[in-house]
Amino acid sequence: VSMANSGKDTNGSQFFITYKSAKHLDGKHSILGRVVGGFDVLTKMEQVPCDAMDRPREEIRITRCTVFVNPYTDMLEEAANAREREAREA
């Protein structure tokens, strides 16, 4: 997950997710984190057709996300809590 400035004096930002290594972007944009779950959603996003400028032809909107301080520890804890809830509800 990265962020790019929208342009000089625009005071705007563009956030993007790369689906594979993009070495040509190294050192050019701020890297904010790493996706650690929801890969089924990313696969669907990646399959949206793009135009000649590599922009999706239909709007992709992320309406909800979870930010982890330590993604692996927090993700495992959240998964364990979910399994416990499911076991209690079963």
Side-chain angles (χ1 to χ4, degrees):
V1 179
S2 296
M3 181 189 75
N5 184 305
S6 295
K8 185 177 180 187
D9 299 322
T10 63
N11 200 28
S13 302
Q14 300 169 344
F15 294 86
F16 60 94
I17 299 170
T18 58
Y19 299 100
K20 60 183 180 181
S21 177
K23 296 286 186 192
H24 64 286
L25 299 177
D26 287 355
K28 293 186 179 182
H29 303 293
S30 299
I31 297 174
L32 305 173
R34 180 179 299 249
V35 176
V36 296
F39 294 106
D40 56 325
V41 175
L42 289 181
T43 298
K44 289 177 186 175
M45 289 170 54
E46 186 177 22
Q47 293 171 350
V48 172
C50 292
D51 64 17
M53 298 292 291
D54 207 25
R55 296 182 193 146
R57 292 184 186 264
E58 58 189 69
E59 181 178 292
I60 297 174
R61 186 174 291 214
I62 299 172
T63 59
R64 186 175 52 128
C65 72
T66 301
V67 177
F68 297 110
V69 174
N70 180 334
Y72 300 103
T73 301
D74 292 349
M75 178 186 67
L76 293 172
E77 183 178 324
E78 183 177 280
N81 290 339
R83 285 191 300 275
E84 287 176 18
R85 279 192 305 275
E86 289 173 5
R88 281 193 305 269
E89 294 170 1

